[in-house]
Coordinates of all heavy atoms in Angstrom, one line a residue:
G148 N -13.0 -1.6 42.4 CA -13.5 -0.5 41.6 C -13.4 -0.8 40.1 O -13.7 -1.9 39.6
A149 N -12.9 0.2 39.4 CA -12.8 0.1 37.9 C -11.5 0.8 37.5 O -11.0 1.7 38.1 CB -14.0 0.8 37.3
S150 N -11.0 0.3 36.3 CA -9.8 0.9 35.8 C -10.0 1.3 34.3 O -10.8 0.7 33.6 CB -8.5 0.0 35.9 OG -8.7 -1.1 35.1
N151 N -9.2 2.2 33.8 CA -9.3 2.7 32.4 C -7.9 2.8 31.9 O -7.0 3.5 32.5 CB -10.0 4.0 32.4 CG -10.4 4.5 31.0 OD1 -9.5 4.8 30.2 ND2 -11.7 4.5 30.7
P152 N -7.6 2.2 30.7 CA -6.3 2.3 30.1 C -6.0 3.5 29.2 O -4.9 3.7 28.7 CB -6.2 1.0 29.3 CG -7.6 0.9 28.8 CD -8.5 1.4 29.9
G153 N -7.1 4.3 29.0 CA -6.9 5.5 28.1 C -7.2 5.1 26.6 O -7.6 4.0 26.3
W154 N -6.9 6.0 25.8 CA -7.2 5.9 24.3 C -6.1 5.1 23.6 O -5.0 5.1 23.9 CB -7.3 7.2 23.7 CG -8.3 8.1 24.3 CD1 -8.2 9.0 25.3 CD2 -9.7 8.2 23.9 NE1 -9.4 9.6 25.5 CE2 -10.3 9.1 24.7 CE3 -10.4 7.5 22.9 CZ2 -11.7 9.4 24.6 CZ3 -11.8 7.8 22.8 CH2 -12.4 8.7 23.6
L155 N -6.6 4.3 22.6 CA -5.7 3.8 21.6 C -4.5 3.0 22.2 O -4.7 1.9 22.7 CB -5.2 4.9 20.6 CG -6.4 5.6 20.0 CD1 -5.9 6.9 19.2 CD2 -7.1 4.7 19.0
D156 N -3.3 3.5 22.1 CA -2.1 2.8 22.6 C -1.9 3.1 24.1 O -0.9 2.8 24.6 CB -0.9 3.1 21.8 CG -0.6 4.6 21.7 OD1 -1.6 5.4 21.8 OD2 0.6 5.0 21.4
G157 N -2.9 3.8 24.8 CA -2.8 3.9 26.2 C -2.4 5.3 26.7 O -2.2 6.2 26.0
M158 N -2.3 5.3 28.1 CA -1.9 6.6 28.7 C -0.4 6.7 28.8 O 0.4 5.7 28.7 CB -2.4 6.6 30.2 CG -3.9 6.6 30.3 SD -4.4 6.7 32.0 CE -6.2 6.8 31.8
Y159 N 0.0 8.0 28.8 CA 1.4 8.3 29.0 C 1.6 9.3 30.1 O 0.9 10.3 30.2 CB 1.9 9.0 27.7 CG 3.2 9.7 27.8 CD1 4.4 9.1 28.3 CD2 3.3 11.1 27.4 CE1 5.6 9.8 28.4 CE2 4.5 11.8 27.4 CZ 5.6 11.1 27.9 OH 6.8 11.8 28.0
V160 N 2.5 9.0 31.1 CA 2.7 9.9 32.2 C 4.2 10.1 32.4 O 5.0 9.3 32.0 CB 2.1 9.3 33.5 CG1 0.6 9.2 33.5 CG2 2.8 7.9 33.8
K161 N 4.5 11.3 32.9 CA 5.9 11.7 33.0 C 6.3 11.9 34.5 O 5.5 12.4 35.3 CB 6.2 13.0 32.3 CG 6.1 12.9 30.8 CD 6.2 14.3 30.1 CE 7.7 14.8 30.3 NZ 7.8 16.1 29.5
E162 N 7.4 11.4 34.9 CA 7.9 11.4 36.2 C 7.9 12.9 36.7 O 8.4 13.8 36.1 CB 9.3 10.9 36.4 CG 9.9 10.9 37.8 CD 11.3 10.4 37.8 OE1 11.8 9.9 36.8 OE2 11.9 10.5 38.9
G163 N 7.3 13.1 37.9 CA 7.3 14.4 38.5 C 6.3 15.4 38.0 O 6.2 16.5 38.5
E164 N 5.7 15.1 36.9 CA 4.7 16.1 36.3 C 3.3 15.9 37.0 O 3.0 14.8 37.5 CB 4.5 15.8 34.8 CG 5.7 16.0 34.0 CD 6.0 17.5 33.7 OE1 5.0 18.3 33.7 OE2 7.1 17.9 33.5
G165 N 2.6 17.0 37.0 CA 1.3 17.0 37.7 C 0.2 16.6 36.7 O 0.2 17.0 35.5
Y166 N -0.8 15.8 37.2 CA -2.0 15.4 36.4 C -3.2 15.7 37.2 O -3.4 15.4 38.4 CB -1.9 13.9 36.1 CG -0.8 13.6 35.1 CD1 0.5 13.5 35.6 CD2 -1.0 13.5 33.8 CE1 1.6 13.3 34.7 CE2 0.0 13.3 32.9 CZ 1.3 13.2 33.4 OH 2.3 13.0 32.5
R167 N -4.2 16.4 36.5 CA -5.4 16.8 37.2 C -6.4 15.7 37.0 O -6.9 15.4 35.9 CB -6.0 18.1 36.5 CG -5.1 19.3 36.6 CD -5.8 20.5 36.0 NE -5.0 21.7 36.0 CZ -4.4 22.2 34.9 NH1 -4.4 21.6 33.8 NH2 -3.7 23.3 35.0

Side-chain angles (χ1 to χ4, degrees):
S150 69
N151 189 293
W154 299 92
L155 302 170
D156 54 336
M158 294 183 177
Y159 163 55
V160 294
K161 293 175 69 176
E162 179 182 355
E164 296 283 331
Y166 291 82
R167 298 185 182 102

